[in-house]
Amino acid sequence: MRVWAALRAAGTVPGGFRERFEFGGRDVASWFPRHMAKGLRQMRLALRRADCLVEVHDRSHIPLSGRNPALQEALGIRPHVLVLNKMDLADPRRQPVILEQLRQQGCSHVVFTDCQRDVNVKKVVPMVARLVAESPRYHRAESSEHNILVIGVPNAGKSSLINSLRRLHLKKGKATAVGGEPGITKAVLSRIQVCEKPLMYLVDTPGVLPPKLGDVETGMKLALCGAIRDHLVGEDVMADYLLYTLNKQQQFGYVQRYGLGQACDHVEPLLKHVALTQGRTQKVKVLTGTGNVNMMMLNYPAAAYEFLRDFRAGCLGRVTLD
């Protein structure tokens, strides 16, 4: 709000912005990769051997709308812990409201974490151990070990949580690959030990989106957070929706980030400025009457990707899309 007030006082904020975003009749069915259906079937089989489920979700941007209804249905009667990751990128003013809404959805065991810096991760193991001790284990009642299934949408930080737990409790390094785009974990892996006392194993699972996203805006939010591959949605429309959302929330960090003269309501002048200042150009061959001529042109897709990457890294401020 202070940034907005300063920009308004300096005359760098236009009088009005778009009141709604036109999605242009996009079909979100093609945004669900086929391997995710297989992953969901594998997870349901692994669920039989699980004592507890740890659902990892992107706390910073989509703490509510991005959760997979299919995963919530699979929870059954087993204990459930919701880990809201990437808390360092979240708008802290939204936390009380989010917690209350989650409680209304039945999520009473919530941990906010930053797995890259191991913030609050130590709370996970004691909470899981307590919930397992207080719940019936049926055919696993005589086993002293804890089997925990880690679930969530793509790119939420499931593998990062496992690696963080191993660093804290076992003083060991990475057990699973971590990446900044969806699809790094494509198969249910073997059990991975994360703690000695109590003896606890976690199973990393592939990120799974709901087969039906419900509405285009939810799909767009998931895409902005890296849960859907950029090229399936289109970097240009994602950048435009991000700009629309930032303006709607009066989050004008991008004006200072890119040295703009003022906030803008349409994405074309923003991407042109980013391409010029960041050197995002491409060589294009043009056919003329005297032959082929190589020309340098602005690379708008690369500029859009730069804008999206800065958002995901927190360079445009702490933003919550919900």
Side-chain angles (χ1 to χ4, degrees):
M1 292 298 291
R2 289 196 298 269
V3 172
W4 177 84
L7 292 173
R8 174 70 77 181
T12 56
V13 176
F17 296 105
R18 287 172 287 179
E19 294 184 359
R20 65 175 186 170
F21 188 83
E22 296 294 338
F23 291 101
R26 284 178 169 79
D27 180 17
V28 297
S30 60
W31 299 356
F32 182 78
R34 292 182 179 179
H35 76 270
M36 289 189 181
K38 178 182 178 181
L40 189 56
R41 290 194 298 270
Q42 290 176 319
M43 289 165 56
R44 283 173 174 155
L45 290 174
L47 188 64
R48 301 172 183 174
R49 302 183 296 274
D51 298 309
C52 180
L53 291 99
V54 173
E55 179 187 358
V56 184
H57 198 58
D58 186 333
R59 155 70 176 100
S60 60
H61 301 130
I62 47 170
L64 301 171
S65 64
R67 296 180 63 210
N68 190 337
L71 297 180
Q72 296 178 56
E73 292 172 7
L75 295 178
I77 59 174
R78 287 169 179 77
H80 169 235
V81 174
L82 176 61
V83 174
L84 292 174
N85 192 30
K86 307 180 185 179
M87 61 180 291
D88 57 310
L89 303 180
D91 185 347
R93 299 170 298 179
R94 294 280 297 148
Q95 182 168 321
V97 177
I98 289 165
L99 274 175
E100 180 57 33
Q101 290 181 279
L102 287 171
R103 288 192 187 98
Q104 292 176 7
Q105 295 176 10
C107 295
S108 54
H109 307 290
V110 182
V111 182
F112 298 97
T113 65
D114 173 6
C115 292
Q116 297 298 322
R117 299 173 181 82
D118 298 335
V119 177
N120 283 353
V121 177
K122 276 195 173 182
K123 296 180 180 180
V124 175
V125 166
M127 182 179 290
V128 168
R130 176 174 59 82
L131 290 175
V132 171
E134 295 173 353
S135 304
R137 300 181 70 193
Y138 304 107
H139 62 287
R140 293 185 44 77
E142 297 180 0
S143 177
S144 60
E145 64 186 36
H146 298 63
N147 280 340
I148 313 302
L149 193 66
V150 183
I151 62 176
V153 299
N155 203 30
K158 298 180 294 297
S159 298
S160 296
L161 174 65
I162 291 177
N163 293 331
S164 178
L165 288 169
R166 284 174 60 84
R167 283 195 301 269
L168 289 170
H169 295 283
L170 298 178
K171 309 302 180 185
K172 293 187 177 181
K174 291 184 178 180
T176 64
V178 177
E181 61 179 39
I184 298 299
T185 307
K186 291 187 178 178
V188 176
L189 306 180
S190 302
R191 296 190 311 162
I192 302 167
Q193 184 179 355
V194 295
C195 188
E196 189 70 42
K197 294 181 180 180
L199 184 58
M200 189 173 292
Y201 295 89
L202 267 63
V203 177
D204 195 9
T205 64
V208 175
L209 292 169
K212 294 182 180 180
L213 292 174
D215 61 85
V216 179
E217 188 157 18
T218 297
M220 195 68 72
K221 291 178 181 180
L222 285 162
L224 285 178
C225 297
I228 300 173
R229 291 185 182 274
D230 294 346
H231 72 272
L232 294 176
V233 182
E235 290 88 346
D236 54 345
V237 68
M238 289 170 60
D240 195 19
Y241 178 75
L242 173 58
L243 178 64
Y244 159 78
T245 303
L246 293 174
N247 288 336
K248 184 179 178 181
Q249 296 189 8
Q250 299 181 357
Q251 295 268 11
F252 299 114
Y254 70 90
V255 177
Q256 295 179 326
R257 171 72 177 176
Y258 303 122
L260 295 170
Q262 64 174 7
C264 45
D265 192 31
H266 296 283
V267 77
E268 290 82 3
L270 169 64
L271 296 184
K272 181 178 181 180
H273 184 87
V274 172
L276 285 169
T277 56
Q278 304 291 330
R280 302 299 178 187
T281 58
Q282 56 185 343
K283 187 180 292 186
V284 178
K285 187 174 292 186
V286 179
L287 180 62
T288 68
T290 57
N292 294 336
V293 177
N294 290 327
M295 297 182 61
M296 297 301 296
M297 300 185 66
L298 297 179
N299 190 336
Y300 283 89
Y305 178 73
E306 184 87 13
F307 185 40
L308 297 173
R309 187 173 62 180
D310 282 349
F311 164 70
R312 291 164 180 164
C315 299
L316 306 182
R318 302 179 70 170
V319 182
T320 299
L321 298 177
D322 285 335

